[in-house]
Amino acid sequence: MNAARDVARAIDALRRGWPIAIHAPGEAPLPLLAVETADPRALAAFADAGASPLLISSGRAATLKLTNQIAAADPDTPVVIEPAPWLDFSTAVALADPQFDLATPLKGPFRTDAVTRPVASLAAIRLARIAGLLPAFFIDGIDPEVVIAPASIDRHQDARALHLATRARLPVDGAEDAEIVAFRAPDSSDEHIALLIGQPNGASPLVRLHSECLTGDVLGSLKCDCGPQLRAAIQAIRTNGWGILLYLRQEGRGIGLVNKLRAYALQDQGFDTVDANTRLGFAVDARDFGVAARMLDLLGQREVRLLTNNPAKVAGLEAAGMRVVERVAHALPANPHNARYLATKRDRTGHQL
Ligand SMILES: Nc1nc2c(ncn2[C@@H]2O[C@H](COP(=O)(O)OP(=O)(O)OP(=O)(O)O)[C@@H](O)[C@H]2O)c(=O)[nH]1
Ligand SMILES: [Zn+2]
């Protein structure tokens, strides 16, 4: 069987509410049913009533004050909640989805169990993020049809599979001589874009990595600084002479649009952008800048001047083999709606504002 195709089938199955299993070498298979897309019927078909443990991410478990009783070597190791008669479908949803945390006190008590398949468990949390689902699963039900290995997920996400698909002239507001270049990978529907602005002049290009933000880029959301940063980047590159804007399909810092909007709902309850991601069970920043390095490489660039306030972008590009010769600040004025968001980036995620 083709490993990459199996991962695509696994993602599709999870999104449809069908079970899959992850089988890591040296571990028993881990059958999984995503809580977000399951319903009581799917759960009944997966396992006997009250017999299925729940697997949740370490961040979500910490939020719920449920940690492993047996200390895990890796703090990211997900947490298994023992089955209990009161751990029915709706209780599992309340454990998985933080939007009800303040409104509905949880039933319980819940007990955690040893994680016997740590590699497959971590891979499950990663797969939920790739599928854009909440990272929570019923586990240990029937043997599903689709079984994948954690290594296949790595192959599926490998930036080296990205290739240049097509290019065309694209006059844009502020840069009428721009050219658009599209990139694709066979296993992913994410079509990343580069906008080449101006003519190469022998100097390193001024480069902006822009992660997709539908709300900010398209709808003019004032909650973040993405829209103004996008337009200012085109301006800055034009003024510089030449450079490249990469438009990366990494919505919500890599957790997907729906999960980002869930994070916004938590921000409406008072949590900041960092705590909202953690409560949902995701890393604060789930992006992989190897994709950007691969795109620059395919465009023949090995050295860049990077427009960013985020040191993690510089580190991510350099870890992927790109030389960042200069960081160029890219801060824009705050508005009353994004002031707290910008302050959180400065105070909690190391942004140099
Ligand atoms: N999860 C989550 N994502 C957000 C939130 N606000 C904005 N985003 C996403 O964050 C990304 C914006 O990041 P970038 O513009 O690349 O900025 P950055 O990492 O802060 O670094 P800079 O280069 O300094 O701008 C986009 O994918 C947005 O969709 C939020 O509250 N939660
Ligand atoms: Zn935004």
Side-chain angles (χ1 to χ4, degrees):
M1 269 282 207
N2 177 305
R5 197 180 62 204
D6 286 352
V7 175
R9 285 179 69 204
I11 291 169
D12 181 61
L14 289 178
R15 291 176 62 101
R16 290 174 194 273
W18 299 343
I20 66 152
I22 299 183
H23 193 177
E27 295 181 354
L30 178 69
L32 302 156
L33 180 70
V35 175
E36 176 174 344
T37 48
D39 57 26
R41 252 196 24 213
L43 177 58
F46 182 65
D48 292 340
S52 175
L54 208 62
L55 182 78
I56 59 174
S57 74
S58 58
R60 183 71 189 135
T63 298
L64 296 169
K65 310 261 187 297
L66 292 168
T67 42
N68 278 317
Q69 281 147 9
I70 298 168
D74 178 351
D76 290 338
T77 303
V79 168
V80 172
I81 301 175
E82 268 187 2
W86 51 88
L87 212 178
D88 56 7
F89 179 74
S90 63
T91 306
V93 170
L95 284 167
D97 188 341
Q99 69 171 308
F100 309 114
D101 283 358
L102 297 185
T104 35
L106 293 169
K107 295 178 221 154
F110 302 107
R111 284 172 50 88
T112 60
D113 212 343
V115 177
T116 52
R117 289 146 295 176
V119 176
S121 301
L122 264 174
I125 300 297
R126 187 160 168 230
L127 201 60
R129 178 181 65 72
I130 295 167
L133 300 173
L134 290 169
F137 297 93
F138 297 103
I139 63 170
D140 290 343
I142 48 151
D143 283 337
E145 205 181 297
V146 178
V147 182
I148 59 166
S152 307
I153 304 175
D154 297 339
R155 239 167 290 147
H156 183 267
Q157 293 294 101
D158 190 347
R160 282 171 303 184
L162 211 63
H163 60 265
L164 200 154
T166 190
R167 58 201 305 162
R169 268 176 30 79
L170 188 78
V172 299
D173 193 12
E176 293 185 20
D177 60 348
E179 183 186 18
I180 188 165
V181 182
F183 298 83
R184 261 188 185 159
D187 297 321
S188 169
S189 56
D190 295 338
E191 293 170 333
H192 304 289
I193 292 298
L195 194 66
L196 276 47
I197 298 169
Q199 293 306 316
N201 57 13
S204 310
L206 185 61
V207 169
R208 170 72 184 157
L209 313 188
H210 183 93
S211 298
E212 177 172 18
C213 175
L214 181 90
T215 43
D217 302 341
V218 179
L219 302 178
S221 162
L222 298 173
K223 261 184 87 69
C224 58
D225 53 348
C226 302
Q229 274 188 324
L230 179 59
R231 284 176 288 280
I234 293 173
Q235 269 303 319
I237 294 171
R238 191 80 205 85
T239 308
N240 174 66
W242 88 288
I244 303 171
L245 170 91
L246 299 186
Y247 192 88
L248 306 165
R249 312 307 290 274
Q250 303 172 326
E251 175 59 81
R253 296 196 297 269
I255 65 175
L257 178 63
V258 168
N259 284 327
K260 179 180 86 169
L261 300 182
R262 290 185 170 123
Y264 279 4
L266 294 175
Q267 289 166 40
D268 288 344
Q269 296 179 10
F271 299 103
D272 70 21
T273 184
V274 167
D275 289 335
N277 264 45
T278 308
R279 287 188 90 82
L280 282 161
F282 295 110
V284 174
D285 193 336
R287 288 175 290 183
D288 171 9
F289 294 115
V291 167
R294 169 74 179 163
M295 290 165 71
L296 291 167
D297 199 33
L298 288 169
L299 293 170
Q301 305 304 322
R302 312 232 32 102
E303 263 191 22
V304 301
R305 296 169 61 226
L306 193 65
L307 260 178
T308 186
N309 310 313
N310 184 355
K313 280 188 184 171
V314 177
L317 269 191
E318 290 196 318
M322 194 59 47
R323 248 175 66 90
V324 179
V325 293
E326 186 188 351
R327 181 187 75 83
V328 180
H330 196 49
L332 291 164
N335 72 57
H337 303 278
N338 70 10
R340 184 175 178 215
Y341 171 69
L342 297 179
T344 303
K345 290 211 285 189
R346 181 193 61 216
D347 299 339
R348 301 196 63 189
T349 60
H351 281 66
Q352 292 158 324
L353 293 174

